[in-house]
Amino acid sequence: ARLQKKTMAGRVKVLASFCLLALSLDAALSFMHTYVNLKVSAPKSSSIKHSSERRLQPATPSFSARCRSRNIFGLGFGLKMTATHPVKNGMESLITSSPKEQTQVLYYDTTLRDGAQGEGISLSCDDKLRIALRLHKFGVHYIEGGWPGSNPKDAEFFRRAREELPPSAWDKVAAFGSTRYKNIAVEDDKQIQALVASQTRVVTLVGKAWDLHVDQVLETTRDENLAMIRDSVAFFRALGREVMLDAEHFYDGYRANPGYAMACLEAAASAGVDWLVLCDTNGGSLPWDVEALTRVVADRFPETRIGIHCHNDQGMAAANSLAAVRGGATVLQCTVNGYGERTGNANAMAILPTLELRMGVPTVGPERLRGLTQLSRYVDEQANQPQNPRAAYVGYGAFEPKALIPSGPAGSP
């Protein structure tokens, strides 16, 4: 009995020692976090002028925070992100150039159209209305509702959205469609009239920017395609609508025929288009090419705002979107959880926090990012899709501790 008491007392002492050690470690880490914050907040001279060239590094979370939190986005705790100077981390050689201007990048969500084309996804009109309202509450700047001239369900969505969504949410809704049909007046095009009937403040028009598609898909002349773009944009601008041109296959078109791809953009710009959205429709571009070409377009059309729309066929949609921002794009067309046809679209759940927290580029704001995980899971539920535990930022596995590597020799205790 005495031996058992001694053993129990020894265990209690060991447990008490462990608890004291844990509390001491927690206090030490909290002190280090405060110290680093004070060091970072002190003014320092630097040759780097743009705040977007500052990198952000997660501070070490406290012991208690690690115990009670599995994910920093949307669960109410939030790991603090502490800015560190890249030169001090030996990263100076990795920095090339920053975004053209340190301005807010707007989030244009296309989950309800492009995302709904993903395999296994079928959204009812009620589903789309619920998702649209949730996107509005999250802080999305544009909500693409669908293509009213393509199917009855999308036409119903716009009719009901005008009545059922709050006015501030309806103001964000965009209707998607194409430029007028070849060889007819824009007023006589039925799908153009469906866009008018949607009564949205914003209209997004897709136009061909690759001569191959003009020749073999539209089967019209290249001059007629330029007229289709110009007439359609001018028509909606005359109605007072905000107009975006989605320049389909722009990066492929530029590689094939730079002069004609730029002529397509010029046709829209001359008609007063508000946004030139450059589309990597095949998902076959690389980030450095996207950044360079986006900068060329931004320099060519300084009075027109530039956007980016990327697909994920190479797994590069997020990287290409970030590269386009560095090149001067200020609107991102992307979807929740990367939904989309084939291998998906650019994933807003990965892009938005990376812009805000790693690149210092404002989007929806850091406070709204706390709702990112809830938004991701809500849309998964509405679309009847399983949650991806390995998703960046919002997956169950995000920010878990890495596997520990033993430090002793093989076979040592």
Side-chain angles (χ1 to χ4, degrees):
R2 286 196 299 272
L3 180 60
Q4 288 179 349
K5 288 182 179 179
K6 288 183 178 180
T7 303
M8 181 61 68
R11 290 176 178 174
V12 170
K13 288 181 179 179
V14 170
L15 180 60
S17 300
F18 175 80
C19 290
L20 288 173
L21 177 62
L23 291 173
S24 300
L25 179 60
D26 188 38
L29 291 175
S30 298
F31 172 79
M32 291 173 62
H33 178 262
T34 304
Y35 176 76
V36 170
N37 274 339
L38 290 174
K39 292 286 285 183
V40 170
S41 62
K44 299 177 182 179
S45 60
S46 171
S47 59
I48 297 178
K49 299 179 181 179
H50 297 282
S51 61
S52 59
E53 294 182 345
R54 296 177 67 83
R55 296 298 186 262
L56 293 167
Q57 172 179 316
T60 304
S62 67
F63 177 81
S64 56
R66 290 200 305 275
C67 289
R68 69 176 182 255
S69 176
R70 292 178 59 85
N71 194 303
I72 70 171
F73 288 97
L75 299 187
F77 301 109
L79 298 180
K80 294 182 178 179
M81 305 297 287
T82 304
T84 58
H85 201 289
V87 176
K88 290 183 178 290
N89 290 341
M91 297 173 62
E92 185 176 27
S93 61
L94 300 180
I95 298 173
T96 54
S97 58
S98 60
K100 185 179 180 182
E101 291 184 6
Q102 192 61 26
T103 56
Q104 183 182 25
V105 172
L106 305 183
Y107 172 18
Y108 179 110
D109 185 90
T110 182
T111 304
L112 302 183
R113 185 193 65 83
D114 240 357
Q117 297 181 61
E119 185 175 355
I121 296 177
S122 179
L123 299 175
S124 68
C125 187
D126 288 335
D127 293 333
K128 295 179 69 169
L129 288 167
R130 283 191 291 266
I131 292 173
L133 182 60
R134 190 60 177 260
L135 290 169
H136 164 63
K137 292 179 178 178
F138 175 72
V140 168
H141 303 98
Y142 297 91
I143 303 169
E144 189 174 85
W147 190 333
S150 66
N151 63 84
K153 181 169 64 178
D154 281 5
E156 179 189 359
F157 168 82
F158 288 101
R159 184 173 61 254
R160 291 180 57 186
R162 288 196 302 272
E163 301 173 356
E164 299 178 25
L165 291 180
S168 56
W170 170 246
D171 190 60
K172 300 177 180 179
V173 174
F176 180 89
S178 68
T179 55
R180 69 163 174 82
Y181 194 69
K182 61 186 178 182
N183 302 322
I184 65 172
V186 64
E187 298 84 359
D188 298 331
D189 189 299
K190 291 184 178 180
Q191 70 93 29
I192 292 287
Q193 292 305 318
L195 290 173
V196 175
S198 72
Q199 300 181 33
T200 57
R201 182 183 64 83
V202 183
V203 172
T204 301
L205 299 169
V206 61
K208 299 294 186 184
W210 189 357
D211 57 359
L212 174 70
H213 285 210
V214 176
D215 298 341
Q216 299 186 15
V217 178
L218 294 181
E219 296 182 335
T220 189
T221 66
R222 298 179 185 181
D223 286 342
E224 174 62 9
N225 179 58
L226 297 179
M228 291 159 60
I229 295 172
R230 189 182 306 109
D231 294 348
S232 302
V233 171
F235 176 78
F236 283 105
R237 289 296 294 134
L239 294 177
R241 307 294 177 86
E242 181 178 346
V243 181
M244 297 189 180
L245 176 77
D246 277 10
E248 190 181 33
H249 295 285
F250 174 76
Y251 293 96
D252 293 311
Y254 188 91
R255 281 189 287 268
N257 188 337
Y260 188 74
M262 295 298 278
C264 294
L265 302 184
E266 181 63 46
S270 66
V273 75
D274 295 284
W275 295 89
L276 292 171
V277 181
L278 313 180
C279 301
D280 186 30
T281 314
N282 279 340
S285 298
L286 295 172
W288 41 89
D289 295 328
V290 169
E291 179 179 352
L293 184 48
T294 304
R295 183 171 287 110
V296 168
V297 173
D299 290 341
R300 174 77 173 271
F301 302 97
E303 302 302 319
T304 306
R305 292 169 290 180
I306 308 301
I308 183 67
H309 179 116
C310 294
H311 286 255
N312 203 39
D313 297 73
Q314 291 184 131
M316 294 287 179
N320 285 339
S321 299
L322 298 175
V325 171
R326 291 171 62 86
T330 53
V331 71
L332 292 166
Q333 290 191 357
C334 41
T335 65
V336 175
N337 298 326
Y339 291 174
E341 60 183 329
R342 305 191 308 275
T343 59
N345 285 48
N347 187 355
M349 305 298 96
I351 296 169
L352 295 178
T354 300
L355 283 172
E356 289 268 7
L357 303 176
R358 301 292 294 176
M359 295 172 63
V361 177
T363 56
V364 297
E367 288 304 315
R368 293 187 183 276
L369 285 181
R370 293 181 181 275
L372 197 70
T373 297
Q374 288 94 333
L375 175 64
S376 168
R377 295 176 184 176
Y378 180 84
V379 175
D380 273 340
E381 290 171 2
Q382 296 301 313
N384 198 25
Q385 295 296 302
Q387 297 166 6
N388 179 7
R390 291 172 292 279
Y393 292 102
V394 297
Y396 286 108
F399 306 103
E400 282 288 318
K402 69 180 294 293
L404 297 178
I405 301 175
S407 57
S412 63

